[in-house]
Amino acid sequence: MLGAAGLALLRIRNLFAVVMLAGIYSLLSAGLFTVMDAVDVAFTEAAVGAGISTVLFLAALALAGHHENKPGHTPLLPMLVVVITGAALVYGTMDMPGFGDPDNPVHHHVADHYLEESPHEIGIPNVVTAVLASYRGYDTMGETTVVFAAAVGVMLLLAGGVRSRGRAGRQAGEEGDG
């Protein structure tokens, strides 16, 4: 379903449909993360990807319109920038160890300790939950605080725009009465 939503995003030209489909894609991703027992990532994806981003895109659509305009220039320069950036990123991955190799350095820093000792030290059988809830508890609390602060900030920005429009309308009505 994620692949179908991604391909549909490439084909659709109605921007409202693109925003809605991007929100659906984020919710599907959050569901996938939940199935993979990455609940913290699922919460963040649902809140930021499906929630806040969709609201911001809809607000932008209210200002810009619902249909994509045809570009007035040829897309050669943007394509060149994308190709050069992609080539630099691929070149940067050449020294990386093979994906999934159990001898990779990343797997032997603290992962061995977490896998062997977390059931005895913490008593939680799910290692991911043990790491997030105990070993990285302050970090997880900080991430949650940042996501919450971002959500409150967006809500305040959106509410401020509604209030200022209401005041402007009342002021215009008062001036017309005089």
Side-chain angles (χ1 to χ4, degrees):
M1 290 179 71
L2 281 170
L7 290 174
L9 278 168
L10 294 173
R11 305 288 302 162
I12 295 175
R13 293 291 175 229
N14 183 324
L15 297 179
F16 180 76
V18 168
V19 169
M20 291 295 104
L21 199 53
I24 291 169
Y25 185 89
S26 291
L27 284 176
L28 289 171
S29 297
L32 176 65
F33 292 138
T34 302
V35 169
M36 295 169 52
D37 286 333
V39 181
D40 63 322
V41 179
F43 280 137
T44 303
E45 179 64 30
V48 175
I52 295 169
S53 296
T54 302
V55 169
L56 290 176
F57 286 145
L58 288 174
L61 278 180
L63 299 174
H66 292 275
H67 293 284
E68 179 180 359
N69 293 335
K70 297 290 181 192
H73 56 81
T74 59
L76 294 178
L77 180 62
M79 179 60 92
L80 181 66
V81 170
V82 168
V83 168
I84 290 172
T85 304
L89 291 172
V90 168
Y91 177 74
T93 62
M94 294 296 185
D95 287 337
M96 289 177 57
F99 180 75
D101 185 7
D103 295 328
N104 285 346
V106 71
H107 297 300
H108 296 289
H109 180 58
V110 292
D112 295 333
H113 175 77
Y114 289 161
L115 291 173
E116 293 171 10
E117 299 299 326
S118 64
H120 308 295
E121 290 180 351
I122 301 169
I124 299 174
N126 186 326
V127 177
V128 173
T129 303
V131 168
L132 293 174
S134 182
Y135 296 119
R136 291 185 52 217
Y138 289 116
D139 182 47
T140 302
M141 184 177 70
E143 291 171 0
T144 306
T145 304
V146 167
V147 170
F148 177 74
V152 169
V154 168
M155 287 190 290
L156 288 173
L157 285 173
L158 293 175
V162 171
R163 267 193 238 124
S164 64
R165 284 189 203 129
R167 287 181 189 148
R170 283 193 303 258
Q171 290 174 352
E174 291 170 3
E175 291 172 4
D177 292 337

